[in-house]
């Protein structure tokens, strides 16, 4: 330690201790240049101070903003799950806060540091700070929230009348459908932030963390589901069947028989052509239906798992659509046309490779 201080004094630095932190202050009287007039010399203190999360903090959200204070011109940001193998996330970064671009795993410890950079000065590197995310998926009998923040709502098994005699031909005949097992379905449409947490980037036409992801094809969603299942070590996530989607949209066993999901007035529950300014809106900002589900009418159309096919003329249990076909089913209508927001309306002519700025999805999962 004495040798280190001696070297620092020779180099023109004075070591101070303030609130337990070592700060190295440049002493220009000892500058090798003599008169301190060199424009490239470092003639002020470079400082770094942690703001949040606190070092060694626990129970942190899996969506994290790192912040610090400093007076440098720019910073490098390093982050990772191994303290001795951090990854440079940013170089020449001018802000003093950084949003980690992906949702993190639950119950894991992460490490990070910043490097302050200023012309004429040596880089100043912070300590390696750490934090631990909160525990794994929280679950109750009726709801759970998964590792990337998707809230899932339990739908109890039951029977309902699927279709409409007042709609288009492919909504007929109205027929009895039994859902034999409870399942979970997303409280909201999958958002852009949740998509990025799994896929890294969002393809959406409109940009916003809490806007529904769109411009995703049925095939894209299968890749998302595969990766999410791998992340959580499960195989429970999938798209809802068309019957599961309509049962949930109608309010399940609590259904009041509304035309739209939660109301007979489309504007109460759906972002549509009349109120959307022709674009998507933040999920959950319209009234929910009887099960507490939002946006099952309007905002974006939602892909279902099924191949499109004609309805059965008789009662069925756990239908899963046609055995094969050309088109996958979309449900719920979107921001662009109010009549399509009816719970019985079906959209076909959509190949699984197609994507639209009016189409997204919500997850379903097994118990």
């Amino acid at each position: 330690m004495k040798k280190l201080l001696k070297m620092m004094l020779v180099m023109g630095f004075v070591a101070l201790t303030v609130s337990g932190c070592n700060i190295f202050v440049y002493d220009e009287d000892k500058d090798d240049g003599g008169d301190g007039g060199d424009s490239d010399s470092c003639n002020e203190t470079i400082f770094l101070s942690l703001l949040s999360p606190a070092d060694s903090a626990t129970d942190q959200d899996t969506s994290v903003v790192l912040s610090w204070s400093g007076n440098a011109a720019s910073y490098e940001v390093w982050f990772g799950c191994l303290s001795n193998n951090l990854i440079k996330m940013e170089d020449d970064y001018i802000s003093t806060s950084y949003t980690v671009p992906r949702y993190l795993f639950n119950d894991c410890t992460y490490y990070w540091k910043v490097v302050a950079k200023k012309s004429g000065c040596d880089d100043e590197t912070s300590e390696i700070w750490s934090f631990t995310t909160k525990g794994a998926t929280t679950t109750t009998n009726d709801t759970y929230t998964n590792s990337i923040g998707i809230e899932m709502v339990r739908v109890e098994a039951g029977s309902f009348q699927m279709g409409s005699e007042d709609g288009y031909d492919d909504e007929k005949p109205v027929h009895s459908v039994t859902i034999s097992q409870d399942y979970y379905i997303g409280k909201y449409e999958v958002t852009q932030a949740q998509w990025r947490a799994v896929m890294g980037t969002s393809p959406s036409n409109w940009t916003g963390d809490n806007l529904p992801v769109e411009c995703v094809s049925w095939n894209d969603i299968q890749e998302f589901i595969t990766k999410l299942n791998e992340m959580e070590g499960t195989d429970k996530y999938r798209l809802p069947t068309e019957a599961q989607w309509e049962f949930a949209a109608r309010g399940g066993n609590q259904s009041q028989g509304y035309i739209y999901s939660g109301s007979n007035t489309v504007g109460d529950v759906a972002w549509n052509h009349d109120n959307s300014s022709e674009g998507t809106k933040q999920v959950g900002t319209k009234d929910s239906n009887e099960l507490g589900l939002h946006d099952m009418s309007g905002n974006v159309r939602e892909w279902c798992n099924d191949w499109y096919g004609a309805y059965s003329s008789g009662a069925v249990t756990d239908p899963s659509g046609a055995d094969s076909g050309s088109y996958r089913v979309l449900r719920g209508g979107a921001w662009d046309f109010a009549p399509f927001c009816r719970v019985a309306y079906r959209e076909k002519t959509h190949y699984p490779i197609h994507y639209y700025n009016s189409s997204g999805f919500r997850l379903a999962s097994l118990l």
Side-chain angles (χ1 to χ4, degrees), residues 241-244 305-308 316-324 328:
T241 66
E242 188 178 12
Q244 289 173 332
N305 199 58
D306 306 32
W307 289 111
Y308 175 82
V316 290
T317 298
D318 298 326
S320 56
D323 292 336
S324 61
R328 296 289 183 176

Side-chain angles (χ1 to χ4, degrees), residues 253-307:
N253 294 325
Q254 301 175 45
S255 176
Q256 300 297 306
Y258 295 126
I259 298 171
Y260 308 101
S261 184
S263 178
N264 286 326
T265 303
V266 65
D268 290 347
V269 292
W271 291 110
N272 62 86
H273 182 270
D274 297 331
N275 61 14
S276 69
S277 302
E278 299 189 356
T280 60
K281 301 296 181 183
Q282 182 172 314
V283 300
T285 51
K286 286 292 185 179
D287 292 345
S288 66
N289 75 354
E290 299 92 323
L291 293 176
L293 307 176
H294 293 263
D295 301 310
M296 295 203 77
S297 289
N299 216 3
V300 291
R301 296 166 175 82
E302 299 178 13
W303 287 102
C304 293
N305 199 58
D306 306 32
W307 289 111

Side-chain angles (χ1 to χ4, degrees), residues 307-355:
W307 289 111
Y308 175 82
Y311 279 161
S312 169
S313 58
V316 290
T317 298
D318 298 326
S320 56
D323 292 336
S324 61
S326 298
Y327 309 123
R328 296 289 183 176
V329 179
L330 282 161
R331 284 300 209 105
W335 53 265
D336 57 354
F337 195 50
F340 291 174
C341 296
R342 295 181 298 107
V343 292
Y345 179 74
R346 311 173 72 201
E347 290 200 44
K348 55 180 179 179
T349 68
H350 297 291
Y351 293 102
I353 62 171
H354 285 173
Y355 57 89

Side-chain angles (χ1 to χ4, degrees), residues 134-151:
K134 59 188 176 183
T137 301
T138 57
T139 308
T140 69
N141 288 333
D142 297 322
T143 64
Y144 75 88
T145 302
N146 76 358
S147 63
I148 61 169
I150 295 178
E151 297 179 56

